[in-house]
Amino acid sequence: MQFVNTVMYGYVMTRRLSRQDWIEYGLTILSEKGFNALKAEPLARGLKVSRGSFYWHFKHLRAFQEAVLEHWKTTTTERVIDQVASDAEALKALTTQALTSNPTLERSIRAWSSEVAWVAQVVDSVDRRRIQFIEQLLEEQRVPNETIPVRAKVLYWAYLGRVLVNSSELDDRAVDDIVKLMLKP
């Protein structure tokens, strides 16, 4: 570990933070304290480094916020799609993951999107991508074409409802019932 000759907030800085360190910390703070806490000075203080470290990796606050949203989008949408797409029971795997995951970060992102227009656009694109994937899974299961868009949205709305009301996890039987309902002819 390389030591840096800088004392910041009473601590000797012992390592250099990467761009990814900042993004992951930003997601943690977003989840815990909300989007108003995504500011260079308090983040630097929380990481016990200088604000210069932040600006070394990000040109400005918006660039950081965009990186945080891009990481959220990748990990909670594209990576999840990649993981479940090859599963023989992909719809069940996706539904299980969606209805049993921790909703705190998703709730914070959606609160942010209700206040900031460009964030709302990112969230809207994620919503469309997720619904499109559910539609694809329903089509693969030979659900009648005319019902696919509505069923995909209902299943996605179940996920969003759980996020917003912070309901407890569903057990396997409940997930099975939901998937069977979505696959009924």
Side-chain angles (χ1 to χ4, degrees), residues 164-179:
L164 295 176
V165 298
N166 198 23
S167 66
S168 61
E169 293 181 6
L170 297 175
D171 60 22
D172 288 340
R173 187 171 153 223
V175 171
D176 284 341
D177 287 346
I178 291 168
V179 171

Side-chain angles (χ1 to χ4, degrees), residues 38-82:
L38 294 181
K39 297 194 167 57
E41 183 68 31
L43 290 171
R45 207 174 312 117
L47 287 168
K48 298 178 176 78
V49 297
S50 71
R51 199 174 62 215
S53 173
F54 177 90
Y55 290 108
W56 176 260
H57 297 291
F58 305 99
K59 194 172 192 171
H60 43 69
L61 185 60
R62 169 88 179 247
F64 170 71
Q65 293 171 338
E66 288 170 351
V68 166
L69 280 176
E70 185 60 33
H71 186 75
W72 163 77
K73 178 180 173 181
T74 300
T75 58
T76 66
T77 302
E78 298 308 325
R79 198 172 294 160
V80 170
I81 288 171
D82 290 345

Side-chain angles (χ1 to χ4, degrees), residues 72-73 77-78 81 110 120-136 152-153 156 160:
W72 163 77
K73 178 180 173 181
T77 302
E78 298 308 325
I81 288 171
R110 289 181 181 281
Q121 291 173 339
V122 173
V123 171
D124 186 54
S125 73
V126 166
D127 289 344
R128 285 192 314 271
R129 174 68 174 117
R130 290 172 177 177
I131 290 170
Q132 178 229 359
F133 181 65
I134 297 168
E135 288 174 343
Q136 176 188 327
K153 287 175 185 162
Y156 192 62
L160 291 178

Side-chain angles (χ1 to χ4, degrees), residues 98-129:
L99 296 179
T100 60
S101 63
N102 182 340
T104 308
L105 179 60
E106 188 81 17
R107 191 177 312 112
S108 295
I109 297 276
R110 289 181 181 281
W112 189 10
S113 76
S114 72
E115 299 285 330
V116 180
W118 69 267
V119 176
Q121 291 173 339
V122 173
V123 171
D124 186 54
S125 73
V126 166
D127 289 344
R128 285 192 314 271
R129 174 68 174 117

Side-chain angles (χ1 to χ4, degrees), residues 5-20:
N5 266 343
T6 304
V7 176
M8 180 54 61
Y9 306 115
Y11 297 91
V12 174
M13 293 171 43
T14 58
R15 68 181 179 106
R16 293 182 190 260
L17 295 176
S18 69
R19 177 180 173 87
Q20 191 61 31

